[in-house]
Amino acid sequence: MSHPDLNLLVALDVLLTEGSVARAARRLWLSPSAMSRALARLREATGDPLLVRAGRGLVPTPRALELRERVGQLVRDAGAVLRPAETLDLSRLVRTFTLRNQDGFVENFGPELIALAGEQAPGVQLRFVPKPDRDSAPLRDGSVDLETGVVGKAMGPEVQAQALFRDRFVGVVRIGHPLCEAAITAARYAAGRHILISRRGLDRGPIDDALEPFGLRRKIVTVVGGFSEALALARASDLIASVPERYTGNLRDGMFSFPMPVSPPDTTISLLWHPRMDADPAHRWLRECVREVCAGRPAGSSN
């Protein structure tokens, strides 16, 4: 039984990435004719044309699209196997990491994370970007290194997740709000005017489900997409915001927070990343920094 030529995997990876025989040839320092012969061998080996002519260019077949991510990972894994292990020198590390988070993360955990990373690796820059949805595409395409959030059905099946902390909902109103004047029962809470937080524009959430068994229904006056907006509205009005307690700690400064009179499910905030970054020493270090900060350990503390 003949063994396949594994060099063809490299050629296939570059061809599927470039979508052009000429560009693939330039990347691999081959002549166009040599690249064409490699494509012919790949077609014979896979039993599929892989790239077909469309006008002046080439487009991938469904089989090529199916193989693209798998082949890329195989080539990266092979490269890692054949590369000498490197010892990470944080003092010399120069790199920018992009972290995608919902509002509240930077305000509550950003200062300590920046301090911890800067103390250990002065050449590292942390770039924080907003998280408008749960789409895993930014992790998959490498435009985002790490995310934090609640694991949901929209998350790609290959994405790695590690729990950081559990959070519970609290109610929040301005100082002097009528709710501050007496014990906050489920009925008093539900009778108020409420802000619903939903990035998808839904008209109810887990708090409404928790009120239902008591025969109560809150009046949703407005729907916003994030915690900062909800708390800004509550700070300047008699509206009630209901937000995760730990995730919004600093955002609630100067406001009155109270335990929920009903018990919606706690949320688990997780750290998310693409598996191709598992073995990267610098990425592993950053993940540990985030875990330390979210665990509430002081910057620079030992495990």
Side-chain angles (χ1 to χ4, degrees), residues 46-74:
T46 61
D48 189 273
L50 299 174
L51 295 168
V52 297
R53 177 105 10 224
R56 295 184 177 181
L58 297 174
V59 294
T61 65
R63 173 66 170 156
L65 293 174
E66 176 190 342
L67 289 173
R68 183 157 55 191
E69 182 66 24
R70 291 171 56 195
V71 170
Q73 188 62 55
L74 281 170

Side-chain angles (χ1 to χ4, degrees), residues 84-129:
E86 296 181 3
T87 301
L88 180 63
D89 184 351
L90 291 174
S91 66
R92 301 178 62 182
L93 179 64
V94 177
R95 187 160 164 182
T96 296
F97 292 99
T98 300
L99 297 87
R100 195 169 82 132
N101 313 279
Q102 197 169 354
D103 62 331
F105 182 88
V106 175
E107 293 87 341
N108 284 283
F109 303 107
E112 188 176 346
L113 181 58
I114 292 169
L116 176 58
E119 177 185 344
Q120 298 183 9
V124 162
Q125 181 187 76
L126 302 181
R127 176 174 174 260
F128 296 99
V129 297

